[in-house]
Amino acid sequence: MSLSTLHEHLAARLGPKGWSTDPEVLAPMLAEWRGRWHGTTPFLAMPATTAEAQAVVQLCAAAGAAITPQGGNTGLVGGQIPDGEILVSLKRMNRIRSIDPIDDALTAEAGAVLAAVQDAAAGADRLFPLSLGSQGSATIGGLISTNAGGVHVVRYGMMRDLVLGLEVVLPSGEIWNGLKALRKDNTGYDLKQMFIGAEGTLGLVTAATLKLFPRPSEHVVAMAGFMDAERWLDLLHLIKSRTGALAAFEVMNRLSVDLAVAHIEGVRDPFMLAPSWVALIECESAGGGHGLESAVEEALAEALEAGIIVDAAVARSEAQAAAYWRLRESIPAAHKRTGRPQMSFDIATPVSAAPRFVAIADAATAALLPGARSVAFGHAGDGNIHYTVMAPAETSPEAFAAALPAIVAAVQGEAMNLNGSISAEHGVGVARRDELPAYKSPIALAMMKTVKAALDPQRIMNPRAMLQP
Ligand SMILES: Cc1cc2nc3c(=O)[nH]c(=O)nc-3n(C[C@H](O)[C@H](O)[C@H](O)COP(=O)(O)OP(=O)(O)OC[C@H]3O[C@@H](n4cnc5c(N)ncnc54)[C@H](O)[C@@H]3O)c2cc1C
């Protein structure tokens, strides 16, 4: 089938609202939000139903035409931006199909935005706990395909832990309906897990059944300052054991806080002492009235007395809690506004090794680029540090580019030495694809390629993402 015949068949099957080649419609879908990737596509398909999504894959498979799936286009590794492939946007498939508060399960289509799913769960007096900065745009299909993490992983796990069932259009054009709300099902391989974190390389996710939880009635948000990164491990375990209710444990180094205060309007440092590290702590409980706030205060007092922390503050209102979160959430925008040459990493280590990672990486980068400093912050409760190397002000982009290969090797090498990962939650996409062979064992890569070849022998599903041809 020629490409023009394919486009005619796709247009006929999808109807006038289901496709476009208009450059104005395509433009926002072809640009990654930070401007790192710009793509091209001959045809945008926007199926509104699973049957239409199936028809798109069947027609593309028959024509041997490759597909790039896209949800909210908030991905950070470029896997959603096509480079000549047919772009399949799932945004029109955005219905909440069902909510069952007895099964604590919600079934949503792939294009449903995370904030809408959170709202639907809240409407049934339940919680869908995934929470991240892009929740107003990121879709369930994209969050599943990148196995998104966010700030509540320490309590509820990653997307992988929140999915009960999936509906997927396979590269063959067949539909796998695995939309069961089962908590237990040991009838063989857990097939849904193959598609979670697969970045669209194994099929089009069209719907998911998600786990719901009791809605917390008590929320406590606090901040603590300490001088030594190793101390955050003591604080983490103290809060966990004293409250049994830890929902988020984020850390920020001094430079992260200073940049957020300097560059983002209305952001304030809660501490006069300018501690080297600040932790943001969120605890929550569904019980209500059992003194969670007192438990957090007592734990922080104990930490102060034991010399683990040097200062602490508990939010006394929703507005104060929001201000604490705003400090944390402003950091990515703040360090970009410096305009300095910089390189960001999304590192995971065992929780216990994260402070050591920061210390070793800081020393290594300062040796390679004198005057370089790090913006280090993130989900310390999960051992996930977002680590950005910032060049000194006088460094030219050329000098930074020359130093970069050694910096990348040093930072990622240290993560691997600590038994960590070079991509904690953002994925591989096209950004890290060519580095993967250096960091995955040959046997792990071979298994990944075997799965890809078995499910997608024509290599039509997101062929440039994750795995080299
Ligand atoms: C401000 C901001 C904060 C963020 N914070 C976090 C964070 O804390 N934790 C975190 O993990 N991530 C974070 N992210 C990253 C991002 O939000 C996630 O990667 C998100 O899961 C992507 O969802 P999306 O719908 O935008 O997918 P897209 O960006 O459109 O696509 C992402 C990948 O999934 C594939 N895909 C999309 N939909 C489907 C589908 N239906 N079937 C098959 N494949 C599909 C695409 O091909 C691509 O490879 C953040 C991003 C931003 C912009």
Side-chain angles (χ1 to χ4, degrees), residues 169-379:
V169 179
L170 302 175
S172 61
E174 293 159 294
I175 295 173
W176 174 53
N177 185 342
L179 283 179
K180 290 185 172 181
L182 297 180
R183 306 277 159 164
K184 294 185 165 184
D185 179 11
N186 277 351
T187 54
Y189 303 130
D190 190 352
L191 295 174
K192 65 180 180 294
Q193 293 297 347
M194 245 177 6
F195 300 95
I196 303 173
E199 301 184 22
T201 61
L202 299 180
L204 268 187
V205 174
T206 47
T209 300
L210 304 170
K211 273 186 201 169
L212 302 180
F213 293 81
R215 222 147 79 89
S217 54
E218 256 191 310
H219 249 120
V220 182
V221 176
M223 289 199 128
F226 39 101
M227 292 300 182
D228 171 2
E230 288 285 342
R231 307 265 78 176
W232 89 50
L233 300 174
D234 301 329
L235 182 63
L236 172 66
H237 288 287
L238 188 72
I239 298 278
K240 267 188 182 175
S241 61
R242 295 294 184 270
T243 68
L246 183 68
F249 189 92
E250 305 279 305
V251 295
M252 309 158 235
N253 73 351
R254 186 73 243 151
L255 185 57
S256 309
V257 175
D258 288 346
L259 291 177
V261 171
H263 292 281
I264 310 291
E265 213 185 311
V267 170
R268 270 196 217 47
D269 180 352
F271 301 122
M272 303 291 286
L273 282 171
S276 313
W277 287 87
V278 171
L280 188 158
I281 300 146
E282 185 173 84
C283 292
E284 63 184 31
S285 143
H290 298 301
L292 186 58
E293 189 166 304
S294 316
V296 173
E297 281 170 353
E298 281 162 27
L300 290 172
E302 193 180 331
L304 262 174
E305 205 166 309
I308 294 170
I309 59 175
V310 293
D311 207 347
V314 177
R316 299 296 175 200
S317 64
E318 285 294 318
Q320 210 173 4
Y324 290 178
W325 271 110
R326 195 163 136 69
L327 167 59
R328 158 65 185 84
E329 281 166 358
S330 299
I331 297 169
H335 67 72
K336 277 179 196 81
R337 286 194 196 169
T338 61
R340 289 205 201 168
Q342 50 189 274
M343 177 71 187
S344 296
F345 301 88
D346 173 31
I347 298 296
T349 66
V351 172
S352 59
R356 218 170 335 139
F357 162 75
V358 176
I360 299 172
D362 279 358
T365 52
L368 290 165
L369 185 65
R373 294 177 70 193
S374 72
V375 176
F377 68 97
H379 319 301

Side-chain angles (χ1 to χ4, degrees), residues 72-116:
N73 191 11
T74 67
L76 296 170
V77 288
Q80 73 279 16
I81 304 295
D83 185 18
E85 298 88 24
I86 305 280
L87 180 59
V88 180
S89 168
L90 280 297
K91 275 194 148 177
R92 289 176 74 217
M93 292 189 64
N94 59 6
R95 285 184 315 134
I96 307 286
R97 288 190 189 164
S98 63
I99 305 183
D100 190 330
I102 303 295
D103 282 333
D104 273 330
L106 175 156
T107 298
E109 291 181 343
V113 168
L114 174 55

Side-chain angles (χ1 to χ4, degrees), residues 3 39 50 82 85 112 131-132 138 163 167 337 349 364 388 403 435-436:
L3 277 184
T50 303
E85 298 88 24
S131 174
L132 34 79
V163 175
E167 178 187 85
R337 286 194 196 169
T349 66
T388 296
E435 295 172 343
L436 209 56

Side-chain angles (χ1 to χ4, degrees), residues 46-57:
M46 295 178 282
T49 62
T50 303
E52 287 184 6
Q54 177 182 37
V56 170
V57 177

